[in-house]
Amino acid sequence: MKSKSFLRFPAVLATLIVSLAAYAHTPLKTSSPAADSTVAQASAIEVEFNGPVRLVRLQVMQGEVEIPTEFSMNPEPVAAYRIDAPDIPAGKITVEWAAIGADGHTLTDTFSFTVDPNAAATAGN
């Protein structure tokens, strides 16, 4: 008869593998404007990851219309990026990004925020 601790080994091993795989990727830690926030204005997008990444794509969209930004790929991985986008209009804005983590995997995601000139000004605009 196998001991109960031996039977738990596969579950512990699987949890460890999943944890290490998640750590190997470098997800988005914060953004400014923050996801799902409403801001009075925005003239830049700031993204911070849990570790150095190469940001290879950042698009600012309002519906199907791309908002011009000053994004350019940096060949060196860093954890935080600021991309100027001086012409962000009022309305719902979606930021689509892609980054290559230290493990070589490409991460992609989106977040949205709303620009409402009547909203109270908040930090991080």
Side-chain angles (χ1 to χ4, degrees):
M1 181 173 173
K2 297 179 181 175
S3 73
K4 287 183 181 181
S5 61
F6 181 75
L7 293 174
R8 284 187 240 164
F9 179 73
V12 171
L13 182 60
T15 301
L16 180 60
I17 290 170
V18 169
S19 296
L20 289 175
Y23 181 73
H25 299 295
T26 310
L28 185 65
K29 182 177 177 182
T30 62
S31 68
S32 178
D36 302 320
S37 67
T38 298
V39 295
Q41 65 179 358
S43 59
I45 304 296
E46 295 179 19
V47 289
E48 182 180 358
F49 296 86
N50 283 339
V53 299
R54 282 188 320 128
L55 190 62
V56 295
R57 181 174 60 89
L58 185 126
Q59 290 180 293
V60 178
M61 306 291 292
Q62 185 177 45
E64 298 295 320
V65 177
E66 184 173 358
I67 308 304
T69 69
E70 296 179 14
F71 172 74
S72 64
M73 286 195 308
N74 181 351
E76 298 297 319
V78 296
Y81 291 85
R82 177 187 167 90
I83 296 89
D84 289 329
D87 298 322
I88 298 176
K92 183 176 180 180
I93 306 297
T94 301
V95 178
E96 302 173 1
W97 60 266
I100 300 174
D103 63 355
H105 286 101
T106 301
L107 304 148
T108 60
D109 206 352
T110 64
F111 64 90
S112 297
F113 62 91
T114 301
V115 175
D116 179 354
N118 297 319
T122 60
N125 292 345

